[in-house]
Amino acid sequence: AVNDSEVTPFSVPGYACQRRCTLENHNAVLTDALSLLAENAELSDEDGRGVAFRRAAAVLKALPSAVTNMSQLTGLPCLGGHSLRVIKDILENGTSSEVESTKESERFKALKVLTGIFGVGSKTADRWIREGIHNLQQLRDSGQTLNRAQQAGLEHYDDIKQPVSLAEAEAIRGIVGRAVASVSPEAQIVLTGGFRRGKLTGHDVDFLITHPEEGSEVGLMPKLVSWLESRVSFYAALLISKQPKMIVVMFKSIVTFSKILLNVISGIFLYGQKFRAVLEMGGRWRAVRVDLVVSPISQFAFALLGWTGSKLFERELRRWAGHEKGMSLSSHALYDNKQLSCLQGRYIRASSEEEIFAHLGLEFIPPNERNA
Ligand code: GTP
Ligand code: MN
Ligand code: MN
């Protein structure tokens, strides 16, 4: 055992956007515990506490080895008293009583189940819980009015809860890519979100679409959606909500497809390897959440950076921009609040992620190291 005096404390920069964080996590037990507390706070509309736990977890994710001794944490940023207590509990006892009791609490379990329904947020879930609804069966029996998204979410609950694999994501890229090419041949489509960061599974599949000619992306989304709707509805339920577009695409496997339907689909998609991969994968239909975002080419770098994540990495980029640089960053633009001309700040152009990092005075962090 190492005694306290020999321990070299870890050291990491204060903002997650200054740190390289791959998917390799040497402190998964600790970060899982803190993430669960973050999730509980977020589900209880305590966003401040949620962010604090997320930041603490991100610091531990960035460490080069497992924490074995509290003194290694001396001087690390973002570790508040509450997070440190949880870490200490786990290092000493193997578990944190707070985490265990949260996990077992009826309220947390109900919030997780209900917000796991596509289209249900923490406020709706909270209202239902106060009306005595704690699970899907009670919701079904309650006669609550559900909107279209929630109805589909409830119907496809098990599918949507099941992680999407990289192979499924690539297959869906084939289909959406084909649709994009049909409505706008020059348009480009990029896989963003967790898959761009190297994750092998996701809760959804995120795509960013743009057109090399500024302005030609206008109207692309409605065309794309109606193209998909008209074809996909043959064999799939399709569901669209506002900003960003969410589509629930359900694939049916070769096992249960009729030959006729297969021919129809092959005729529509002229599919090659990719769509076939989906058909051969599962034994049945499944619903997958897809986020589609269209961006004008002038904003593409900002959209790409903004939709690649992780969520905390993005939040930290915006905090860095605001607090350290006097700038405002969004997934549309970077704005310098200091450069006043005619009482207005200045928009800063960028055509790549690298340029945006440079404008922010940050070392470029590639997508696979943005897993904060
Ligand atoms: P999994 O889907 O679970 O694999 O993780 P993910 O990292 O892909 O998460 P998610 O799909 O939720 O989000 C991907 C990126 O999109 C993250 O960087 C989010 O910050 C960003 N994002 C999600 N929703 C919105 C939104 O409504 N507006 C903007 N601007 N960005 C969003
Ligand atoms: Mn995603
Ligand atoms: Mn998403």
Side-chain angles (χ1 to χ4, degrees), residues 25-274:
N25 178 358
H26 302 283
N27 289 286
V29 173
L30 298 175
T31 61
D32 285 353
L34 293 170
S35 301
L36 185 127
L37 296 179
E39 190 181 9
N40 184 51
E42 288 156 3
L43 289 174
S44 311
D45 269 316
E46 296 174 26
D47 288 345
R49 268 159 49 84
V51 174
F53 286 129
R54 297 264 176 224
R55 281 203 193 118
V59 165
L60 300 184
K61 280 184 202 171
L63 300 180
S65 61
V67 177
T68 52
N69 187 311
M70 287 304 284
S71 59
Q72 293 171 293
L73 304 178
T74 308
L76 282 182
C78 309
L79 297 180
H82 197 156
S83 295
L84 286 171
R85 274 202 308 283
V86 173
I87 296 167
K88 187 160 181 277
D89 229 11
I90 295 174
L91 290 184
E92 287 175 1
N93 311 313
T95 57
S96 146
S97 50
E98 183 182 3
V99 172
E100 293 312 307
S101 64
T102 302
K103 224 188 269 180
E104 291 311 312
S105 90
E106 289 307 316
R107 185 179 159 77
F108 179 70
K109 284 194 275 190
L111 280 169
K112 268 207 79 132
V113 169
L114 297 176
T115 58
I117 303 169
F118 178 68
V120 177
S122 60
K123 290 209 173 64
T124 304
D126 180 66
R127 178 163 51 78
W128 287 344
I129 290 169
R130 282 189 276 109
E131 293 174 28
I133 299 166
H134 288 78
N135 57 46
L136 302 186
Q137 197 51 50
Q138 287 170 343
L139 177 62
R140 287 195 191 95
D141 295 342
S142 71
Q144 288 281 341
T145 317
L146 303 180
N147 64 32
R148 206 178 144 216
Q150 293 164 343
Q151 282 169 28
L154 187 56
E155 190 178 338
H156 306 301
Y157 184 85
D158 291 333
D159 276 358
I160 292 175
K161 205 178 55 181
Q162 192 195 322
V164 185
S165 70
L166 180 58
E168 285 171 313
E170 280 169 353
I172 293 166
R173 186 225 282 265
I175 293 165
V176 180
R178 168 96 193 129
V180 168
S182 302
V183 300
S184 179
E186 303 283 298
Q188 318 263 303
I189 174 165
V190 191
L191 189 58
T192 62
F195 289 111
R196 184 161 182 257
R197 302 196 309 276
K199 284 180 66 184
L200 297 177
T201 60
H203 92 284
D204 67 358
V205 191
D206 305 283
F207 294 108
L208 176 60
I209 298 156
T210 191
H211 194 286
E213 194 186 316
E214 184 82 6
S216 296
E217 80 289 348
V218 175
L220 205 158
M221 182 70 88
K223 272 191 245 166
L224 177 62
V225 166
S226 49
W227 194 98
L228 279 166
E229 248 175 348
S230 65
R231 271 78 174 180
V232 172
S233 56
F234 274 116
Y235 64 97
L238 188 87
L239 192 118
I240 296 138
S241 77
K242 287 187 223 102
Q243 267 299 324
K245 300 290 175 192
M246 308 270 195
I247 300 185
V248 176
V249 185
M250 296 157 63
F251 297 105
K252 199 168 187 175
S253 89
I254 210 155
V255 180
T256 42
F257 256 125
S258 73
K259 199 162 180 249
I260 294 157
L261 205 46
L262 262 179
N263 289 340
V264 169
I265 288 159
S266 61
I268 291 165
F269 289 111
L270 308 171
Y271 65 84
Q273 307 304 324
K274 289 180 174 175

Side-chain angles (χ1 to χ4, degrees), residues 17-20 313 317 320 353-354 357-358 360-366 369:
C17 55
Q18 297 173 290
R19 307 193 284 256
R20 296 175 179 274
F313 191 91
L317 270 178
W320 168 273
E353 291 184 321
E354 283 85 347
F357 279 85
L360 290 169
L362 288 169
E363 197 184 326
F364 178 69
I365 311 268
E369 293 180 314

Side-chain angles (χ1 to χ4, degrees), residues 291-310:
D291 278 359
L292 298 178
V293 177
V294 173
S295 155
I297 190 78
S298 61
Q299 300 177 5
F300 179 75
F302 297 101
L304 183 61
L305 179 59
W307 285 92
T308 295
S310 69

